[in-house]
Amino acid sequence: MKPVQVPPADELTAGWWDATRENRLTVQTCGACAGAQHPPRAVCISCGRPDDLALRDATGSGVVDSFTVVHRAPVKDLEVPYVIARVRLDEGPILLTRLEGRDDAGSWCIDDRVAVGWVDLADGRALPVFGPEG
Ligand SMILES: [Zn+2]
């Protein structure tokens, strides 16, 4: 993967990004209602409570919810084609991510099982991408 532009961590996402340094994928989970959400927020989107949210390790598995194959690079030096996807984690939340690991980018299908992999960033964080499970 070529140049990756990733937003800096802020006070809500710092814990999530810190876990990526250890290649741990986490989801914010509400202790009151067990709702899981991504990205991390100040309140639970299921029950509205602001005070019972914690990051828990995710299994790193999920299914392809939607995807598109990009053939025209939006910036110079970006290798194409690549696959942008929504992956629905087994815990429920959806991540906007990339699909990798197949020679034919167009061979992906909705509901394909996928598992997390990691792309190291220059600042020590890592970016979750997904590939075929198993
Ligand atoms: Zn809740």
Side-chain angles (χ1 to χ4, degrees):
M1 206 151 86
K2 285 305 175 210
V4 181
Q5 294 173 342
V6 178
D10 60 28
E11 67 178 29
L12 282 174
T13 61
W16 187 88
W17 281 114
D18 282 345
T20 71
R21 295 173 186 274
E22 303 167 353
N23 290 359
R24 286 190 300 113
L25 184 65
T26 58
V27 291
Q28 193 181 40
T29 307
C30 176
C33 75
Q37 60 192 19
H38 183 82
R41 295 173 171 88
V43 298
C44 173
I45 59 173
S46 298
C47 74
R49 284 184 65 148
D51 56 353
D52 207 356
L53 295 167
L55 292 171
R56 299 195 201 293
D57 285 354
T59 61
S61 295
V63 296
V64 176
D65 180 75
S66 179
F67 71 97
T68 188
V69 182
V70 178
H71 291 278
R72 184 174 300 194
V75 294
K76 203 173 158 232
D77 296 334
L78 197 59
E79 257 176 52
V80 291
Y82 60 89
V83 184
I84 297 291
R86 287 166 37 119
V87 166
R88 183 177 295 279
L89 299 175
D90 288 348
E91 290 79 8
I94 286 177
L95 257 72
L96 189 61
T97 183
R98 282 194 185 201
L99 299 180
E100 300 192 338
R102 286 195 181 168
D103 291 337
D104 180 3
S107 69
W108 289 99
C109 294
I110 304 300
D111 285 339
D112 278 353
R113 293 286 306 169
V114 289
V116 71
W118 295 94
V119 174
D120 291 334
L121 301 175
D123 63 5
R125 297 182 293 168
L127 201 60
V129 298
F130 286 78
E133 189 178 62

